[in-house]
Amino acid sequence: MAKLNVAPTKSNLLAIKEQLAVSMEGYDLLEQKREILVMELMHLVDQVKLLERDIDKCIEKAYPALKRMLMTVGGDQVERIAHAVDYKFEITKKPVVIGGMSFTGIEVQLPKRELFSSFLGTFPDSDEVMQDFFELLTLLTQMASIRTIVWRLAMEVKKTQRRVNALDKMVIPQDRETVKYIESVLEERERDNVFVLKSLKNRQGAK
């Protein structure tokens, strides 16, 4: 590992040692952060798997119910029923804190459930069909939110890992090599000074 291009002086030695200490402390903190983020990421991945299972179950229930409704009353009647239903929902942002980091998630606010099957000519199970699809909408919103957070969290893990690697593979070894180099030069100078002093004393003694 190449050393830093600095003069081998005591002041530079103290500065590089201080820089090395800061780098090592930063490495420890970043490594802890990376481990926490990875654990949070794995936890979110498990949530995604559970949501995928719930979404599959909901789809297996909702679409056959809609198909039965279409086969029973026909597409035109289903369209008329749909026009008679006035359900409004709202998708809003919400703050999410994971591993000490702030993210933005989304959630859907469903309206209060009403019964429409009492309308003349409506399909008896139309309320059940709408309920199934509202459940599916809720699950898909949760999935969209959590997938977005997972992607951003994965990017943060990747960025943190790059910084950890930079400190571990470049900055810290370079600082250590520089400290070692400066210390060796200063020690050599000290030995030379001692030798010179001894020589001067010997000359003075000889005189």
Side-chain angles (χ1 to χ4, degrees):
M1 174 59 65
K3 59 181 177 59
L4 294 172
N5 186 22
V6 295
T9 62
K10 289 184 178 181
S11 60
N12 282 339
L13 177 61
L14 292 175
I16 299 300
K17 282 186 173 181
E18 183 178 351
Q19 178 177 304
L20 177 59
V22 172
S23 297
M24 293 179 67
E25 183 179 359
Y27 171 82
D28 291 338
L29 292 175
L30 284 172
E31 183 64 18
Q32 292 175 20
K33 176 183 177 181
R34 186 193 66 83
E35 291 176 356
I36 292 173
L37 293 180
V38 168
M39 287 191 295
E40 293 290 352
L41 183 60
M42 297 305 298
H43 178 65
L44 289 176
V45 169
D46 290 339
Q47 290 186 34
V48 168
K49 292 178 180 179
L50 292 175
L51 274 174
E52 287 176 343
R53 183 195 63 187
D54 293 341
I55 288 172
D56 289 340
K57 289 181 179 180
C58 192
I59 289 175
E60 291 174 358
K61 180 182 177 183
Y63 280 94
L66 177 61
K67 184 177 180 180
R68 289 193 301 270
M69 184 176 177
L70 288 168
M71 293 177 64
T72 302
V73 300
D76 292 339
Q77 182 65 7
V78 170
E79 186 173 356
R80 282 193 290 271
I81 294 173
H83 284 305
V85 175
D86 185 21
Y87 262 137
K88 295 181 180 179
F89 58 88
E90 182 179 0
I91 294 180
T92 58
K93 296 180 180 180
K94 65 174 182 178
V96 179
V97 178
I98 299 176
M101 299 181 58
S102 297
F103 299 92
T104 300
I106 58 173
E107 60 183 357
V108 61
Q109 296 178 353
L110 298 177
K112 183 178 178 180
R113 186 179 177 185
E114 300 178 27
L115 298 178
F116 291 92
S117 56
S118 60
F119 288 175
L120 181 63
T122 58
F123 184 61
D125 292 335
S126 60
D127 293 303
E128 181 181 352
V129 172
M130 285 185 285
Q131 183 62 26
D132 290 342
F133 276 93
F134 273 134
E135 181 182 353
L136 181 58
L137 174 62
T138 301
L139 292 172
L140 291 175
T141 303
Q142 293 175 7
M143 178 64 80
S145 180
I146 198 171
R147 279 185 177 274
T148 301
I149 295 174
V150 164
W151 181 82
R152 289 189 57 197
L153 194 57
M155 292 298 101
E156 187 63 29
V157 169
K158 187 176 181 180
K159 182 173 70 175
T160 303
Q161 184 64 59
R162 285 199 301 266
R163 294 172 66 186
V164 168
N165 290 340
L167 288 171
D168 185 42
K169 306 298 183 183
M170 295 180 61
V171 177
I172 292 177
Q174 192 175 54
D175 286 348
R176 283 175 174 166
E177 190 67 24
T178 304
V179 168
K180 184 178 178 181
Y181 163 72
I182 295 177
E183 286 179 340
S184 66
V185 171
L186 293 178
E187 288 173 1
E188 183 66 26
R189 287 177 182 173
E190 186 66 24
R191 284 193 295 268
D192 290 343
N193 290 336
V194 171
F195 177 78
V196 170
L197 288 174
K198 284 184 178 181
S199 297
L200 290 174
K201 287 182 179 180
N202 291 335
R203 288 182 181 178
Q204 289 175 353
K207 289 181 180 180

